[in-house]
Amino acid sequence: QVHLVEVGGGLVQPGGSLRLSCEASGDIEAISTMGWYRQAPGKQRELVATITGGGQTNVAAFGKGRFTIFVAIAKSSVHLQMNNLKPEDTAVYYCNAVRYARTSWGKGTLVTVSS
């Protein structure tokens, strides 16, 4: 019952930057973790970054030094700042939230890195 909407995807050239944003609505209380995942065509969905209610962050190896995850609690939103984007970053990026035993997903936003 957590509704997630992602925005910020688009076309960017290699080396460029994008900021993805995800706003949560509905039953947002007691969300323990929010994060970003991505899925490229023909590939398995993979973790990009997560942040817990305690403020602990985890960024996938491919994103270390390039990607930063942060939240705006008052707006119930999570954001992903992506710098120095590479063609291999092309994927649909999904916002994720965990509340109790349930996991919610947004519809995704497409990021295309191409020259």
Side-chain angles (χ1 to χ4, degrees), residues 1-5 22-29 31 34 75-76 104:
Q1 294 180 326
V2 178
H3 184 224
L4 303 170
V5 178
C22 172
E23 185 172 351
S25 61
D27 296 331
I28 62 175
E29 73 278 359
I31 292 176
M34 297 190 73
K75 296 182 178 180
S76 301
S104 300

Side-chain angles (χ1 to χ4, degrees), residues 21-24 34 70-79:
S21 299
C22 172
E23 185 172 351
M34 297 190 73
F70 60 98
V71 296
I73 298 176
K75 296 182 178 180
S76 301
S77 59
V78 62
H79 308 265

Side-chain angles (χ1 to χ4, degrees), residues 26-106:
D27 296 331
I28 62 175
E29 73 278 359
I31 292 176
S32 60
T33 305
M34 297 190 73
W36 291 92
Y37 292 70
R38 71 184 188 184
Q39 186 168 27
K43 297 185 175 64
Q44 187 175 355
R45 185 175 297 187
E46 62 181 344
L47 170 72
V48 178
T50 60
I51 184 166
T52 71
Q56 296 91 349
T57 61
N58 180 52
V59 179
F62 60 78
K64 291 186 184 300
R66 300 190 299 132
F67 296 175
T68 303
I69 185 170
F70 60 98
V71 296
I73 298 176
K75 296 182 178 180
S76 301
S77 59
V78 62
H79 308 265
L80 182 71
Q81 177 67 43
M82 303 188 292
N83 298 325
N84 192 24
L85 285 161
K86 306 174 181 179
E88 64 191 73
D89 295 319
T90 296
V92 177
Y93 284 71
Y94 296 91
C95 180
N96 162 276
V98 178
R99 179 179 181 268
Y100 299 119
R102 299 188 63 181
T103 301
S104 300
W105 297 91

